[in-house]
């Protein structure tokens, strides 16, 4: 019996039992939060992903539900050093173990090396892909070597003129010292 799996309403347990694989390439524009991180640029760029289900037997003989996810894209951002455009490679390769409830997932997630999530018959894999890519983003996107020289000093003619017109606060002290006789 063949089963068709839907990315936005995935029955994770059935997906894992079938050892199924889902893969896709979607435009960045279908991932609203990632597109926002790109400043609305590059909506046509591909987000490539693959999800593979698996069941494993633990030490007690119980079946465990696993989902293995890989995803990647090249996200246009602004270099925080030169303020020019930079393409940031974002890539994730993560495994998730599913348990019966949110409470159990929360309790086990602290101790487990893998991420632990609660089982669902309508799990949104699309949202998980976006979440994982967002978490892998660099906090400070930048070029390895900026294409233009980075100007490290700033000058503002109005600020310099305002500073020149201000009286020196220590001029009064100089006047007091010069006016006193020893």
């Amino acid at each position: 019996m063949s089963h068709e799996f839907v990315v936005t309403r995935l029955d994770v347990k059935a997906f894992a039992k079938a050892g199924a694989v889902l893969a896709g390439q979607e435009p960045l524009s279908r991932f609203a939060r990632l597109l926002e991180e790109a400043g609305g640029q590059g909506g046509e760029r591909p987000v490539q992903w693959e999800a593979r289900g698996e069941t494993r037997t633990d030490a007690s003989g119980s079946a465990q539900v696993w989902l293995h996810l890989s995803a990647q894209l090249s996200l246009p951002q602004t270099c925080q050093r030169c303020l020019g455009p930079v393409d940031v490679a974002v890539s994730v390769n993560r495994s998730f173990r599913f348990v019966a409830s949110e409470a159990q997932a929360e309790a086990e997630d602290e101790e487990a090396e893998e991420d632990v999530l609660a089982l669902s018959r309508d799990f949104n894999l699309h949202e998980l892909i976006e979440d994982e890519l967002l978490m892998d983003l660099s906090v400070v996107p930048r070029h390895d070597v900026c294409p233009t020289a980075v100007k490290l000093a700033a000058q503002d003619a109005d600020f310099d003129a305002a500073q020149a017109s201000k009286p020196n606060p220590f001029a009064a002290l100089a006047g007091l010292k010069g006016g006193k006789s020893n």
Side-chain angles (χ1 to χ4, degrees):
M1 175 174 136
S2 136
H3 194 271
E4 189 166 321
F5 297 102
V6 179
V7 175
T8 56
R9 292 186 337 258
L10 185 65
D11 181 342
V12 179
K13 190 172 186 177
F15 183 72
K17 279 185 176 182
V21 175
L22 283 173
Q25 178 173 305
E26 300 175 49
L28 178 59
S29 61
R30 301 236 359 237
F31 298 87
R33 294 176 294 151
L34 279 169
L35 187 60
E36 185 178 323
E37 286 294 323
Q41 303 296 310
E44 72 289 343
R45 291 193 179 190
V47 175
Q48 297 175 323
W49 58 269
E50 180 179 285
R52 183 174 48 86
E54 173 187 25
T55 55
R56 294 182 187 167
T57 305
D58 66 9
S60 69
S62 299
Q64 294 181 330
V65 175
W66 286 79
L67 180 113
H68 307 284
L69 174 69
S70 64
Q72 55 274 335
L73 82 143
S74 177
L75 192 69
Q77 293 195 292
T78 301
C79 174
Q80 296 302 297
R81 190 175 10 209
C82 70
L83 300 179
V86 61
D87 288 337
V88 177
V90 185
S91 179
V92 296
N93 192 5
R94 224 167 249 123
S95 293
F96 302 89
R97 182 169 51 89
F98 286 80
V99 294
S101 68
E102 284 289 340
Q104 184 181 358
E106 190 175 318
E108 290 185 25
D109 196 39
E110 290 293 321
E111 301 296 322
E113 288 182 27
E114 70 279 357
D115 289 319
V116 182
L117 301 174
L119 267 174
S120 172
R121 293 184 65 111
D122 61 349
F123 184 77
N124 192 327
L125 181 59
H126 195 267
E127 285 180 3
L128 179 66
I129 293 165
E130 186 171 34
D131 289 347
E132 293 302 316
L133 288 168
L134 282 166
M135 287 192 292
D136 198 61
L137 284 178
S138 172
V139 175
V140 182
R142 60 188 169 111
H143 295 102
D144 290 332
V145 176
C146 292
T148 58
V150 178
K151 186 177 177 183
L152 298 177
Q155 277 189 301
D156 183 354
D158 293 334
F159 179 79
D160 292 341
Q163 288 299 100
S165 68
K166 286 185 180 178
N168 184 343
F170 297 105
L173 290 175
L176 291 174
K177 185 176 180 182
K180 283 192 172 184
S181 59
N182 288 332

